[in-house]
Amino acid sequence: MTTGGKSHEGTHVKEAIRKTLILAAVAIPVGVCGCVAGAATGDMPPVIFGAVAIAGGLTLAVMVALATRKG
């Protein structure tokens, strides 16, 4: 949708990409902390949840990289 010749759709997409990148940047360190804590205590659930968080964060980071590339 255009208003006065300017498109606001690009702004919404950039904001969504920025928020997704922030989520990925938070999920990866949280996953690493979960894995380390689970390994230190000998519990498997934190290790498993940490690995899932790391995989999800990396997937989001790849999606952001693909969304922001030119071409």
Side-chain angles (χ1 to χ4, degrees):
M1 179 174 191
T2 59
T3 305
K6 293 188 175 183
S7 174
H8 295 288
E9 292 177 8
T11 307
H12 294 297
V13 171
K14 288 179 184 177
E15 183 69 17
I17 289 172
R18 186 181 70 82
K19 288 180 180 180
T20 303
L21 187 58
I22 291 170
L23 179 62
V26 170
I28 293 170
V30 167
V32 170
C33 290
C35 285
V36 170
T41 60
D43 293 333
M44 281 307 294
V47 174
I48 293 169
F49 291 136
V52 169
I54 292 169
L58 289 174
T59 302
L60 288 173
V62 168
M63 291 172 66
V64 166
L66 290 175
T68 57
R69 71 179 186 164
K70 303 286 183 193

